[in-house]
């Protein structure tokens, strides 16, 4: 189990940041991601693993409309 | 388009009712320091000074509009009272050409649908050209007895009221005719802007105003809309056919700013950011705001079938890739000079298939996201051509696309549920997805006939007609009729974001997303979980966004593109670097030295003043902030069952109610009690944070603290303490 924005989400082996974004269907382009407080660069989404127990924040920046 | 000879013949029929010559002041640090008063009943035209107190407390734009309107009306003024005014102003930054999004006009009046103050923010050149003609604001009072236009010529320093008996009313023709009529020559057309409505605004209460700009690259007129709250209906009720302003010679220092250098530097940095980031972020320059269609669909936020649902299988037919192909590309589509964000997209060479202009090839300004979602998905219409046709006709008829979309969606649901039938609609089969019916209904509005006369009234009045005359259940209509304060909702599903429910309904003018859009912060990011957090957001963001309207600014360049390092800042949702840009712009233009915090104080004065204004007009209290239940949760079985897992989960986790073995009706009822209680608690928290009483009245100490404890304002408040 991991948390995404403070809510429980099932973890699966081999999960990456890119995979998690896809799994959550977060298609909005203006997002940024932290894992346990560390900011992950966009270029590294494909290669950065998400480990069981991680606290992930996927922040959508628009306060939009 | 009429020939030059026909134009001349049309103009020869004008009868000049009043002429006013004035000494044109040089704009100084963003202000012309005078406002223009035009009474179209007595034909009085005069100049009024802008006092230092006005500038200190109300800044400009919407602030000036409200201050002028406040002094023009009385407690009993209604939308069609002669003393009701239409006020138009940009603000001190308005007309800047070095930074994106700096040419907006703000329009206010007492609205026919909300019966309180409405404000609308619109592009096009009118506001800046008005200021550079020597006027920080224009107030129009009275009702004319014949069709008139007002012409402000900044080069000649004259203002005239003229009869205009022969010009057609619909915007796409009228704005082009008047541009040609008042421009000295072809080149001069860029210096003319026209404000007009259309024949729909004559018969509907949801009329909008169109503000024109001459598009040099396309060699034609484009229009942007002051859509919300029926300002176009007030305009036509006054027998105003159009406003024309002409002001040649706009340049980079027309505002005569205190520090041009700082404005240029801030602008260059911002243009660079748009250039490097926009294609990686929201692609505003190529797809405009409709890129939000697929985003909202993915997050279950796109209104479908009168806000019952948040997504639809047919959405891919109207997503941004479709609009990208339809929009002309490679032309910077700004709605004022220097807007590199350039999101005001158009579709050229569109052939109309219905209505009085059937067969004509026209330019369609848009659609914006709000239009595509409103007249499209919310009505079950997933056909780009139908959306474009509805967009075009709404604009040229002077009908607000947002209110139209939300109203037709409501009517379609009423039809599908058997609340109305063909007898009521005059034979129109108003089912979701019936584009022909939606278009025909719109043409009926323009012709002032049939069911169009009811449809044009807006949802609040329609509900009453259905209940009084057709025996409909008013409670159900109140649950599904998506209006608050009489204004139709704009196009986001707020059911899963309590903060956005407040962002829509705890507003001054009604549910328009330009006060606050908190859905991602709340529902997705989970950044504002407590009532106090939500109240803080509903304090800060509406005030922050109000400030754009005080200064003649567009909100989009604030957060529809963000600096690459924005995620590393303390408060990414506020986009701190852009906030600093705006502080620099304001100080650079006015020569003042405000801070980020003073931005919020400037807005707070105007925001609370607007609330008091509404209270003065018999509105503005807590009960008027109530929302239709569909804004908060599922009204019908179908809605509940379509997202049963979600709602069952909410009952278990949030309500402490075990859904196991319960009927949908029982579950609906339990969820409703919870959601309605949450909203009441939100109201308490927000009013407290705003320094208002539990009845939503700004406290006298709050008014004192922000420096607007003028006797006439305090007097209104005292009646409710
Ligand atoms: S960002 Fe878009 S709407 Fe705003 S001023 Fe620029 S072109 Fe107009």
């Amino acid at each position: 189990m991991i948390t995404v924005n403070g809510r429980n989400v099932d973890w699966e082996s081999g999960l990456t940041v890119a995979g998690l974004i896809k799994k959550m269907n977060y298609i909005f382009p203006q997002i940024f991601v932290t894992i346990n407080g560390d900011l992950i660069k966009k270029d590294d989404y494909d290669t950065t693993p998400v480990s069981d127990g991680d606290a992930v924040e996927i922040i959508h920046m628009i306060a939009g409309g | 388009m009429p020939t030059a000879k026909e134009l001349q013949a049309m103009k020869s029929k004008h009868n000049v009712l009043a002429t006013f010559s004035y000494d044109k002041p040089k704009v100084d640090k963003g202000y012309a320091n005078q406002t223009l008063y035009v009474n179209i009943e007595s034909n009085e035209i005069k100049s009024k000074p802008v006092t230092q107190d006005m500038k200190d407390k109300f800044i400009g734009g919407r602030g000036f509009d409200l201050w002028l309107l406040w002094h023009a009306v009385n407690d009993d003024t209604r939308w069609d009272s002669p003393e009701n005014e239409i006020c138009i102003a940009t603000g001190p930054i308005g007309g800047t050409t070095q930074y994106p999004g700096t040419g907006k006009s703000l329009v206010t009046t007492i609205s026919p649908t909300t019966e309180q103050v409405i404000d609308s923010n619109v592009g096009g050149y009118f506001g800046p050209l008005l200021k550079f003609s020597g006027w920080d604001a224009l107030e129009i009072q009275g009702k004319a007895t014949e069709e008139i236009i007002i012409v402000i010529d900044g080069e000649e320093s004259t203002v005239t009221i003229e009869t205009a008996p022969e010009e057609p009313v619909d915007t796409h023709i009228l704005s082009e005719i008047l541009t040609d009529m008042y421009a000295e020559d072809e080149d001069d057309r860029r210096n003319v802007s026209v404000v007009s409505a259309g024949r729909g605004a004559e018969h509907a209460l949801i009329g909008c105003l169109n503000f024109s700009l001459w598009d040099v690259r396309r060699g034609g007129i484009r229009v942007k809309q002051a859509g919300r709250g029926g300002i176009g209906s007030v305009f036509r009720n006054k027998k105003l056919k159009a406003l024309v302003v002409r002001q040649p010679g706009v340049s980079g220092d027309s505002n005569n700013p205190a520090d041009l250098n700082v404005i240029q530097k801030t602008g260059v940095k911002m243009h660079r950011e748009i250039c490097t980031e926009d294609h990686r972020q929201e692609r505003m320059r190529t797809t405009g705001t409709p890129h939000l269609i697929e985003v909202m669909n993915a997050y279950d936020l796109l209104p479908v079938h009168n806000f019952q649902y948040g997504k639809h299988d047919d959405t891919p037919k109207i997503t941004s890739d479709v609009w990208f192909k339809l929009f002309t590309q490679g032309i910077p589509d700004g709605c004022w000079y220097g807007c590199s964000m350039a999101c005001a997209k158009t579709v050229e060479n569109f052939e109309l298939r219905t209505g009085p202009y059937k067969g004509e090839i026209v330019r369609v300004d848009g659609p914006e996201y709000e239009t595509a979602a409103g007249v499209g998905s919310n009505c079950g219409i997933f056909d780009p051509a139908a959306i474009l046709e509805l967009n075009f006709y709404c604009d040229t008829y002077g009908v607000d696309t947002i209110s139209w979309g939300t109203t037709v969606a409501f009517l379609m649901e009423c039809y599908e549920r058997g609340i109305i039938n063909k007898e009521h609609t005059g034979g129109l089969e108003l089912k979701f997805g019936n584009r022909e019916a939606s278009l025909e209904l719109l043409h009926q509005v323009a012709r002032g006939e049939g069911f169009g006369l009811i449809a044009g009234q807006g949802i609040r009045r329609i509900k009453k007609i259905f209940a009084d005359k057709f025996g409909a259940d008013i409670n159900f209509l109140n649950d599904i009729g998506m209006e608050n304060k009489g204004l139709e909702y704009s196009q986001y599903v707020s059911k899963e974001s309590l903060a956005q429910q407040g962002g829509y309904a705890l507003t001054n003018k009604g549910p328009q997303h330009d006060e606050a859009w908190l859905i991602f912060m709340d529902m997705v990011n989970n950044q504002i979980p407590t009532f106090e957090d939500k109240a803080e957001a509903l304090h800060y963001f509406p005030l922050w966004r109000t400030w754009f309207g005080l200064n003649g600014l567009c909100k989009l360049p604030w957060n529809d593109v963000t600096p690459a390092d924005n995620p590393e800042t303390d408060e990414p949702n506020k986009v701190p670097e852009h906030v600093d840009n705006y502080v620099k712009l304001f100080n650079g233009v006015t020569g003042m030295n405000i801070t980020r915090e003073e931005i919020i104080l400037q807005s707070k004065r105007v925001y609370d003043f607007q609330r008091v204004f509404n209270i003065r007009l018999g509105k503005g209290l807590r009960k008027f902030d109530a929302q239709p239940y569909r804004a908060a949760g599922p009204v019908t079985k179908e809605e509940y069952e379509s997202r049963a897992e979600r709602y069952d989960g909410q009952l278990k986790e949030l309500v402490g109610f075990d859904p196991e073995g319960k009927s949908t009706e029982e579950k609906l009822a339990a969820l409703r009690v919870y959601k309605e209680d949450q909203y009441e608690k939100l109201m308490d928290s927000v009013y407290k944070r705003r320094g208002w009483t539990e009845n939503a009245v700004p406290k006298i100490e709050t008014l004192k603290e922000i420096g607007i404890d003028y006797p006439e304002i305090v007097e209104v408040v005292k009646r409710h303490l």
Side-chain angles (χ1 to χ4, degrees), chain B residues 615-665:
Chain B
I615 294 169
R616 180 187 172 202
L617 296 173
K619 311 280 180 189
L621 303 176
R622 182 183 183 113
K623 65 181 174 188
F624 298 104
D625 286 344
Q627 62 178 343
Y629 182 61
R630 182 164 284 161
V635 174
T636 62
K637 272 175 78 171
E638 305 89 80
E639 278 169 276
Y640 190 101
E641 285 163 5
S642 73
R643 276 125 182 99
E645 197 184 333
R646 175 194 298 167
Y647 294 132
D648 282 355
Q650 289 178 359
L651 284 173
K652 263 190 266 180
E653 286 156 31
L654 303 172
V655 188
F657 176 96
D658 184 2
E660 211 41 53
K662 302 290 191 317
S663 70
T664 304
E665 284 82 358

Side-chain angles (χ1 to χ4, degrees), chain B residues 225-523:
Chain B
Q225 290 71 38
R228 306 313 323 269
I231 305 174
S233 308
V234 178
F235 195 83
R236 290 303 294 138
N237 185 261
K238 289 180 176 299
K239 281 201 187 307
L240 267 168
K241 206 174 246 184
L243 314 173
V244 182
V245 67
R246 174 177 172 265
Q247 175 57 52
V250 173
S251 70
D253 63 354
S254 289
N255 261 326
N256 197 13
D259 188 344
L260 186 59
N261 194 25
V262 81
I263 293 167
Q264 279 167 339
K265 268 195 192 155
T266 312
V268 166
K269 189 172 60 147
M270 187 63 197
H271 294 315
R272 207 172 285 146
E273 180 188 318
I274 289 174
C275 214
T276 56
E277 297 302 320
D278 178 63
H279 66 281
R280 289 204 276 251
Q281 298 181 13
E282 298 191 33
R283 299 170 294 127
M284 297 287 278
R285 292 193 297 176
T286 50
T287 59
T289 53
H291 75 90
L292 286 170
I293 291 277
E294 59 260 37
V295 174
M296 294 307 142
N297 192 66
Y299 292 80
D300 208 21
L301 297 168
L302 180 74
V304 171
H305 294 181
N306 193 29
F307 295 89
Q308 291 181 82
Y309 313 112
K311 60 170 64 162
H312 195 279
D313 288 347
D314 284 336
T315 300
K317 293 178 184 165
I318 58 166
T319 47
S320 63
D321 49 334
V322 176
W323 300 115
F324 175 84
K325 286 183 204 136
L326 289 166
F327 289 147
T328 43
Q329 299 295 343
I331 297 183
D333 283 316
C335 58
W336 172 245
Y337 298 108
C339 188
S340 49
M341 194 139 198
C343 73
K345 310 305 293 175
T346 65
V347 173
E348 298 286 337
N349 303 317
F350 179 74
E351 184 175 348
L352 296 166
R353 295 185 296 190
T354 68
Y357 307 111
K358 183 178 175 179
E360 289 187 20
I361 308 290
V362 296
R363 170 180 301 121
V364 186
D365 276 284
E368 300 278 353
Y369 163 77
E370 294 292 332
T371 302
V375 306
S377 64
N378 209 9
C379 296
I381 295 172
F382 294 90
D383 171 4
I387 290 169
L388 285 169
E389 183 125 351
L390 285 157
N391 188 153
F392 173 83
Y393 272 115
C394 275
D395 289 354
T396 201
Y397 287 157
V399 172
D400 174 25
T401 56
I402 297 178
S403 282
W404 181 251
T406 302
T407 301
V408 174
F410 167 70
L411 293 173
M412 286 175 163
E413 185 173 355
C414 287
Y415 187 92
E416 295 221 343
R417 293 188 185 282
I419 295 167
I420 53 171
N421 56 41
K422 277 190 183 170
E423 267 178 45
H424 302 114
T425 66
L428 288 178
E429 195 173 26
L430 273 176
K431 284 188 166 168
F432 287 119
N434 190 343
R435 58 192 182 187
E436 286 79 17
S438 179
L439 276 160
E440 175 50 26
L441 191 57
L442 182 57
H443 296 314
Q444 286 184 8
V445 170
R447 296 195 298 265
E449 63 179 44
F451 195 58
L453 283 173
I454 292 179
Q457 304 283 304
I459 291 176
R460 180 162 287 196
R461 281 183 169 82
I462 296 172
K463 288 190 300 188
K464 192 163 177 345
I465 293 168
F466 286 5
D468 291 352
K469 297 200 175 149
F470 307 161
D473 172 2
I474 190 67
N475 293 326
F476 184 68
L477 296 182
N478 283 334
D479 281 350
I480 67 163
M482 291 299 285
E483 59 87 11
N484 152 271
K485 302 179 178 68
L487 188 71
E488 288 73 25
Y489 271 69
S490 71
Q491 309 301 333
Y492 300 97
V493 173
S494 57
K495 285 175 187 158
E496 302 311 322
S497 169
L498 180 61
Q500 185 56 30
Q501 291 164 34
Y504 265 144
L506 305 184
T507 44
N508 275 329
K509 73 176 159 201
Q512 167 74 351
H513 54 280
D514 67 350
E515 265 207 20
W517 198 93
L518 301 171
I519 302 183
F520 281 167
M521 273 184 87
D522 189 29
M523 178 185 104

